[in-house]
Amino acid sequence: MGAAGLVARWRHDPDLRFVLVHATDGEAGKIAPGTSVTRERLGANCRAEDDAGWEVVGRLPDRHEWFGFPDGGLADLPDGLLEDRVAAVFAQERPDVVLAFGPDGITGHPDHVAAGHAATRAFLRSADDGGSGFRRLFHGAYPQSALDQVNARRVAAGLAAFDPTKVYQPRGVPDERITCSVDLRAVVPAVRAAFHAHRSQWADPWTELSERDWESAAGVAHLVQAWPPREVDEPRLSDPFEGLQPGTT
């Protein structure tokens, strides 16, 4: 959700090079009711839906890597394998800014946790090598205050509050850890439409979200700056690229 909104926000920026890495094809995911996708075809279908989603956003990746590791099996891969694959992409691209999952995987999804760990370690391997790029690493996050508001609305609507002890349900991050919040209200319709392009996955919780929930969840991207560390009292960034000039180190 955060990545789609951020890309939509800067989709027309000529200085943006958008590189996207998927560790799996999502072939073990849920299949939404009413779709004709078979389990055998789900992985290939998810790839096609992802392309359709970026078409809706209005900006296809300049480079799109699908590693094809087993969905739900990232934690069981040989030690360092995923990190090395990500590091190889990083070595070729020398990204200035990287967005990855944090230690909580946002929803506790084991693949999210493993992918975020691998991306973080791969980033840190190159951050101090003296070369170009690797200027900021962000982890996507859900501020606890925002999650509390969503849960209050869910309970008022007769729905169960999200439970952070359960896998696949969102975890809140203390608000003071948020170091960058990006206003994405103008692109919420594009983000929602991009999600809907993933028709085989269009099920709860997405189908349960009200308009206000979408504005809350997709209207602002909240990020924790994992590298370089920021002091708690530093002003919160409103742009992950703030202060970074293209082509400089």
Side-chain angles (χ1 to χ4, degrees), residues 18-105:
F18 170 33
V19 177
L20 177 61
V21 175
H22 277 95
T24 80
D25 291 356
E27 73 277 1
K30 293 190 297 184
I31 299 177
T35 59
S36 59
V37 182
T38 64
R39 173 61 58 190
E40 293 73 21
R41 291 291 302 162
L42 182 58
N45 189 78
C46 284
R47 288 196 184 204
E49 289 176 340
D50 197 70
D51 289 340
W54 293 113
E55 289 276 7
V56 170
V57 167
R59 183 65 150 80
L60 292 171
D62 295 287
R63 176 178 179 179
H64 198 167
E65 292 287 338
W66 293 88
F67 290 166
F69 289 124
D71 187 17
L74 295 187
D76 299 323
L77 293 175
D79 187 46
L81 176 59
L82 180 56
E83 177 186 334
D84 287 345
R85 289 289 300 274
V86 176
V89 175
F90 283 177
Q92 294 168 349
E93 295 291 341
R94 307 293 303 185
D96 286 316
V97 174
V98 170
L99 172 62
F101 288 110
D104 62 1

Side-chain angles (χ1 to χ4, degrees), residues 5-227:
L6 292 171
V7 172
R9 167 67 177 78
W10 282 283
R11 58 190 162 192
H12 300 306
D13 189 328
D15 291 317
L16 175 67
R17 176 169 171 80
F18 170 33
V19 177
L20 177 61
V21 175
H22 277 95
T24 80
D25 291 356
E27 73 277 1
K30 293 190 297 184
I31 299 177
T35 59
S36 59
V37 182
T38 64
R39 173 61 58 190
E40 293 73 21
R41 291 291 302 162
L42 182 58
N45 189 78
C46 284
R47 288 196 184 204
E49 289 176 340
D50 197 70
D51 289 340
W54 293 113
E55 289 276 7
V56 170
V57 167
R59 183 65 150 80
L60 292 171
D62 295 287
R63 176 178 179 179
H64 198 167
E65 292 287 338
W66 293 88
F67 290 166
F69 289 124
D71 187 17
L74 295 187
D76 299 323
L77 293 175
D79 187 46
L81 176 59
L82 180 56
E83 177 186 334
D84 287 345
R85 289 289 300 274
V86 176
V89 175
F90 283 177
Q92 294 168 349
E93 295 291 341
R94 307 293 303 185
D96 286 316
V97 174
V98 170
L99 172 62
F101 288 110
D104 62 1
I106 297 183
T107 63
H109 191 311
D111 276 359
H112 292 183
V113 174
H117 179 71
T120 297
R121 288 181 58 86
F123 182 100
L124 296 176
R125 281 166 57 172
S126 299
D128 290 321
D129 67 3
S132 61
F134 302 100
R135 301 168 72 187
R136 285 178 184 156
L137 169 65
F138 289 103
H139 290 159
Y142 208 148
Q144 186 62 52
S145 61
L147 182 57
D148 289 343
Q149 292 172 7
V150 169
N151 276 338
R153 291 198 297 273
R154 287 178 63 85
V155 171
L159 299 172
F162 289 124
D163 183 350
T165 67
K166 294 181 178 179
V167 179
Y168 311 128
Q169 299 208 13
R171 277 81 168 128
V173 170
D175 286 35
E176 61 269 21
R177 290 188 56 209
I178 303 297
T179 51
C180 181
S181 294
V182 188
D183 186 347
L184 301 175
R185 287 173 291 181
V187 298
V188 168
V191 173
R192 182 173 183 175
F195 265 60
H196 198 247
H198 294 74
R199 295 185 180 279
S200 68
Q201 308 298 298
W202 189 248
D204 64 292
W206 315 118
T207 54
E208 293 181 345
L209 296 184
S210 66
E211 290 292 338
R212 189 174 179 184
D213 288 337
W214 277 100
E215 292 173 4
S216 173
V220 184
H222 296 286
L223 309 173
V224 172
Q225 186 167 313
W227 197 96

